[in-house]
């Protein structure tokens, strides 16, 4: 299993997962379809399926155009609001692409229909992979926009948090630096946070992606996975896990606002990304925004 990490838009990631024996490929969260197809052509693979984590504009906006350009494509997800959806998935459902197994994990919180995807290959020494969209990111998670704090806690702690610690986490955004700065505010004495923040600053200076992390690492420095830790409880003043998580979400929102107050144009863009505003009329001409270079931490493209 080969994962191509493709930075797009301002800070999004989409992914191309390649089954190296059959050369079948699966895309995750298609935001810029023409960029994806460049990579498909360069890799010489057969794209069969799109896995969409949730319906927000910056994760699903490319589905319609991609389906038009690539007839017969399956577009899968758990939410009927996903563009060009061909089949709705259910929690625990398993898919198969050559030797690659996919377990579909419903992870509500950011949205009610958010699906994360856990991939592995039998009898393969490589670790499994989790494509977590906005449910879980490096040292953080997406804001809770739908559902309850209890649902979000179950998604993080009971659904994702119990996966094998060696699982590689491929998230939907490059928010690592800001996430770790907040994590340091929550746990100023956490050496794992301090070390990861130093590492992330270097990656940022070199303009290199910080994905993937591993789940085992996330449990050491991600405050949203550490709600049972005394240091995190003390920061929030709460004890019950869901209440700790809710308080962390409020504190994170305040932290973001204090760090960088949003201008009206930025607020509108954020609302689009979060699905709070409608997307542009699809009949109107659209120009894709600039994209970053394709990169993979272990095997960067030239």
């Amino acid at each position: 299993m080969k994962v191509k990490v493709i930075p797009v838009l301002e800070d999004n990631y989409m992914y191309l997962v390649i089954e190296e024996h059959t050369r079948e490929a699966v895309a995750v969260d298609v935001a810029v379809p023409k960029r994806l197809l460049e990579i498909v052509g360069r890799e010489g693979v057969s794209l069969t399926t799109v896995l969409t984590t949730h319906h927000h504009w910056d994760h699903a906006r490319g589905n319609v155009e991609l389906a038009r350009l690539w007839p017969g494509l399956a577009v899968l997800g758990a939410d009927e609001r996903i563009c060009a959806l061909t089949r709705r998935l259910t929690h625990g459902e398993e898919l198969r692409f050559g030797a690659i197994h996919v377990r579909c994990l419903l992870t509500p919180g950011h949205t009610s229909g958010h699906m994360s995807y856990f991939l592995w290959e039998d009898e393969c020494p490589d670790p499994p992979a989790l494509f977590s969209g906005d449910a879980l990111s490096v040292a953080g998670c997406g804001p809770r926009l739908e559902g309850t704090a209890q649902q979000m806690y179950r998604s993080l702690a009971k659904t994702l948090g119990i996966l094998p610690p060696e699982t590689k986490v491929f998230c939907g955004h490059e928010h690592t630096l800001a996430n770790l700065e907040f994590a340091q505010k929550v746990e100023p004495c956490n050496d794992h946070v301090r070390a990861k923040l130093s590492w992330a600053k270097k990656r940022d200076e070199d303009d290199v992606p910080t994905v993937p992390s591993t789940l085992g690492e996330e449990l050491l420095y991600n405050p949203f996975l550490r709600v049972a830790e005394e240091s995190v409880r003390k920061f929030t003043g709460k004890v019950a896990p869901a209440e700790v998580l809710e308080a962390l979400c409020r504190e994170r929102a305040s932290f973001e606002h204090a760090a960088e107050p949003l201008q009206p144009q930025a607020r509108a863009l954020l609302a689009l990304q979060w699905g709070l505003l409608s997307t542009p009329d699809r009949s109107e001409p659209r120009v894709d925004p600039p994209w970053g270079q394709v990169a993979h931490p272990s095997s960067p493209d030239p």
Side-chain angles (χ1 to χ4, degrees), residues 9-143:
L9 305 178
E10 178 143 352
D11 57 26
N12 277 75
Y13 286 119
M14 61 183 184
Y15 299 98
L16 185 68
V17 183
I18 301 170
E19 208 279 26
E20 296 193 86
H21 295 294
T22 64
R23 305 302 292 169
E24 182 177 359
V26 178
V28 180
D29 282 357
V30 178
V32 183
K34 291 179 181 177
R35 179 58 171 156
L36 176 72
L37 291 180
E38 287 177 9
I39 310 305
V40 168
R42 192 167 71 196
E43 291 290 324
V45 296
S46 175
L47 179 65
T48 63
T49 305
V50 171
L51 300 175
T52 303
T53 59
H54 61 295
H55 74 282
H56 287 167
W57 169 85
D58 55 329
H59 295 261
R61 72 186 284 269
N63 289 351
V64 172
E65 185 179 358
L66 185 62
R68 179 181 64 80
L69 295 171
W70 205 266
L73 188 70
V75 178
L76 310 181
D79 195 321
E80 291 178 349
R81 295 172 290 182
I82 292 171
C83 300
L85 189 71
T86 60
R87 185 165 72 83
R88 189 173 179 180
L89 300 170
T90 59
H91 177 65
E93 183 174 352
E94 293 198 1
L95 311 172
R96 187 78 178 264
F97 302 99
I100 300 174
H101 298 263
V102 181
R103 182 174 300 142
C104 305
L105 301 173
L106 191 62
T107 45
H110 182 63
T111 68
S112 58
H114 192 293
M115 186 72 86
S116 299
Y117 301 98
F118 179 67
L119 280 64
W120 76 96
E121 294 177 281
D122 290 334
E123 300 179 1
C124 177
D126 294 335
L130 173 68
F131 295 88
S132 57
D134 286 355
L136 177 68
S137 55
V138 181
C141 67

Side-chain angles (χ1 to χ4, degrees), residues 3-290:
V3 178
K4 302 296 292 184
V5 178
I6 310 173
V8 291
L9 305 178
E10 178 143 352
D11 57 26
N12 277 75
Y13 286 119
M14 61 183 184
Y15 299 98
L16 185 68
V17 183
I18 301 170
E19 208 279 26
E20 296 193 86
H21 295 294
T22 64
R23 305 302 292 169
E24 182 177 359
V26 178
V28 180
D29 282 357
V30 178
V32 183
K34 291 179 181 177
R35 179 58 171 156
L36 176 72
L37 291 180
E38 287 177 9
I39 310 305
V40 168
R42 192 167 71 196
E43 291 290 324
V45 296
S46 175
L47 179 65
T48 63
T49 305
V50 171
L51 300 175
T52 303
T53 59
H54 61 295
H55 74 282
H56 287 167
W57 169 85
D58 55 329
H59 295 261
R61 72 186 284 269
N63 289 351
V64 172
E65 185 179 358
L66 185 62
R68 179 181 64 80
L69 295 171
W70 205 266
L73 188 70
V75 178
L76 310 181
D79 195 321
E80 291 178 349
R81 295 172 290 182
I82 292 171
C83 300
L85 189 71
T86 60
R87 185 165 72 83
R88 189 173 179 180
L89 300 170
T90 59
H91 177 65
E93 183 174 352
E94 293 198 1
L95 311 172
R96 187 78 178 264
F97 302 99
I100 300 174
H101 298 263
V102 181
R103 182 174 300 142
C104 305
L105 301 173
L106 191 62
T107 45
H110 182 63
T111 68
S112 58
H114 192 293
M115 186 72 86
S116 299
Y117 301 98
F118 179 67
L119 280 64
W120 76 96
E121 294 177 281
D122 290 334
E123 300 179 1
C124 177
D126 294 335
L130 173 68
F131 295 88
S132 57
D134 286 355
L136 177 68
S137 55
V138 181
C141 67
R144 182 176 66 84
L145 302 178
E146 299 176 355
T148 67
Q150 184 65 35
Q151 287 176 314
M152 190 173 189
Y153 166 69
R154 285 199 300 267
S155 295
L156 290 171
K158 306 300 182 182
T159 301
L160 301 183
I162 62 172
L163 294 174
E166 67 271 19
T167 300
K168 291 185 176 181
V169 179
F170 295 91
C171 59
H173 290 274
E174 181 57 55
H175 290 167
T176 302
L177 203 55
N179 288 344
L180 285 163
E181 287 170 348
F182 175 69
Q184 190 169 58
K185 179 181 178 182
V186 176
E187 294 186 281
C189 296
N190 187 324
D191 290 338
H192 300 289
V193 173
R194 188 179 300 111
K196 189 71 173 182
L197 179 57
S198 176
W199 174 87
K201 287 178 177 177
K202 182 65 168 59
R203 302 288 284 191
D204 183 63
E205 290 170 1
D206 294 340
D207 196 25
V208 179
T210 61
V211 295
S213 62
T214 70
L215 186 60
E217 292 170 351
E218 293 298 319
L219 292 168
L220 295 175
Y221 53 63
N222 190 327
F224 297 91
L225 289 177
R226 294 173 55 79
V227 294
E229 297 294 326
E230 181 58 33
S231 53
V232 180
R233 289 180 175 182
K234 183 178 179 180
F235 174 80
T236 62
K238 304 294 182 181
V239 175
E243 292 181 2
V244 175
L245 182 62
E246 180 79 348
L248 281 175
C249 289
R250 287 196 303 267
E251 290 289 339
R252 177 60 203 264
S254 298
F255 179 81
E256 288 179 339
H257 181 73
E260 188 175 355
L262 292 176
Q263 298 302 314
Q265 185 177 2
R267 289 183 185 276
L269 178 59
L270 193 59
L272 271 175
Q273 291 177 342
W274 285 356
L276 303 179
L277 298 177
S278 60
T279 55
D281 185 346
R282 298 190 187 281
S283 64
E284 297 178 355
R286 184 181 67 219
V287 178
D288 286 330

